[in-house]
Amino acid sequence: MTQLDISERQEGGILVLSVAGPINSYTFSEFQEKLDRATAKGSVVIEMEKVTTLSSAGIGVIMAALDDAETGGKGLSILRPSEIARLAFESTGFIERFPVISSLKDLA
Amino acid sequence: MDRTMTPVFSGTLSRRRSAEATIRLIVEKSGVFAFERFLDRIDFVLPSERLRLKLAACEIYDNLLRHAVPLVDGTAVIRVSRRNGTLYVGFHFKSPSFAAYSLRTGDHDPVFDRTSRRWHGMGLRMVRKLSTSLVFRAGELCDRVFIRF
């Protein structure tokens, strides 16, 4: 079975949650749990260049986290989404709601 | 254990005008991985179609899991085909709950449920934006969902 790999790292004082693999109906709850844990610590960047698919359930997790971050005065950004992740964001019709960055330097 | 039944690929592959790939899947949560592998292996899908096909077809699979399971025999037959140059996906199954659900599949704005932290209707919106048409057909013997790209 294809696994979702999620790891955390600190880069220049920023918490980066690196996600690789499919975010689908099977894996989205694991993604939600790890994203919630990360956002509880502060602002987070989700690195998505190795995401192989992104379902509406996964997008819902990100949108909920964005709402929470906004309410809590924290930041949440999406770093280098893969082609399929970008297409998934576009297909919601809410692309402008997703703060996509191409480099951590964009946060400066 | 991979409970997927063997996929069948057929068609006039040399011209790529008419081709077909079919799989019968036990529709359960972990089956999405076998479905993704099946979609990735279809060789008559154009590079420009592949990502849209994967996102849209997997959304419908997820939809069946949430709104149509339990299926009458637990399985769905899913057929990806190209006819006259156009790509189609058809889901064929029988579910006691699908007829009622299909009445609620209109083009509504998605609604966010704060309690479950899930969007309702977002998946269908995505499929509609990724495809040219999405049709739900409840039938006496067989229920169907068709996507045209």
Side-chain angles (χ1 to χ4, degrees):
Chain A
M1 189 174 294
T2 312
Q3 297 293 326
L4 184 64
D5 291 320
I6 304 176
S7 59
E8 272 185 28
R9 69 175 190 274
Q10 286 283 342
E11 203 171 317
I14 299 165
L15 179 58
V16 179
L17 194 70
S18 183
V19 185
I23 304 175
N24 57 27
S25 49
Y26 192 84
T27 62
F28 83 93
S29 49
E30 179 189 351
F31 174 55
Q32 180 168 27
E33 186 190 317
K34 293 193 175 164
L35 181 56
D36 285 350
R37 205 181 306 157
T39 52
K41 296 175 192 172
S43 296
V44 173
V45 169
I46 313 170
E47 186 178 48
M48 299 188 77
E49 64 182 328
K50 291 180 181 167
V51 167
T52 56
T53 192
L54 176 58
S55 72
S56 62
I59 285 180
V61 169
I62 294 171
M63 290 182 89
L66 280 166
D67 278 356
D68 291 348
E70 211 169 273
T71 309
K74 298 171 185 172
L76 184 75
S77 306
I78 295 154
L79 176 63
R80 289 188 294 268
S82 61
E83 199 182 345
I84 198 165
R86 188 177 284 274
L87 180 62
F89 289 130
E90 285 170 2
S91 70
T92 64
F94 298 135
I95 184 68
E96 71 286 350
R97 290 193 59 178
F98 299 100
V100 174
I101 57 173
S102 54
S103 160
L104 291 177
K105 288 177 189 161
D106 294 350
L107 294 174
Chain B
M1 182 175 66
D2 190 345
R3 300 172 68 194
T4 311
M5 299 173 195
T6 311
V8 176
F9 298 85
S10 66
T12 319
L13 296 177
S14 58
R15 292 182 61 201
R16 295 293 191 272
R17 294 293 297 168
S18 169
E20 189 173 291
T22 304
I23 190 168
R24 180 185 288 272
L25 275 175
I26 296 165
V27 178
E28 57 188 4
K29 244 182 170 184
S30 60
V32 71
F33 295 105
F35 187 45
E36 286 174 2
R37 278 198 303 276
F38 163 72
L39 294 171
D40 287 341
R41 284 175 54 197
I42 300 173
D43 68 353
F44 57 82
V45 175
L46 303 174
S48 61
E49 297 167 328
R50 191 166 292 282
L51 300 184
R52 286 185 293 131
L53 168 68
K54 190 170 182 179
L55 288 174
C58 288
E59 279 302 326
I60 295 301
Y61 184 90
D62 190 31
N63 223 254
L64 296 190
L65 272 173
R66 289 206 276 154
H67 302 290
V69 165
L71 305 181
V72 166
D73 72 350
T75 70
V77 172
I78 304 157
R79 184 168 297 125
V80 180
S81 60
R82 181 176 299 290
R83 295 195 304 275
N84 296 321
T86 302
L87 188 68
Y88 299 86
V89 186
F91 293 76
H92 308 258
F93 54 92
K94 186 61 197 160
S95 160
S97 54
F98 184 76
Y101 168 66
S102 67
L103 298 174
R104 307 193 307 269
T105 55
D107 192 4
H108 308 298
D109 282 341
V111 176
F112 183 60
D113 178 350
R114 290 202 169 271
T115 311
S116 65
R117 295 167 66 85
R118 285 201 77 160
W119 281 87
H120 298 288
M122 180 65 86
L124 293 185
R125 166 180 276 216
M126 288 171 68
V127 176
R128 288 193 169 97
K129 289 209 179 263
L130 292 162
S131 64
T132 56
S133 81
L134 171 64
V135 177
F136 291 80
R137 288 257 187 279
E140 216 168 282
L141 298 175
C142 185
D143 300 314
R144 300 175 181 88
V145 181
F146 296 106
I147 313 171
R148 176 185 172 167
F149 291 91

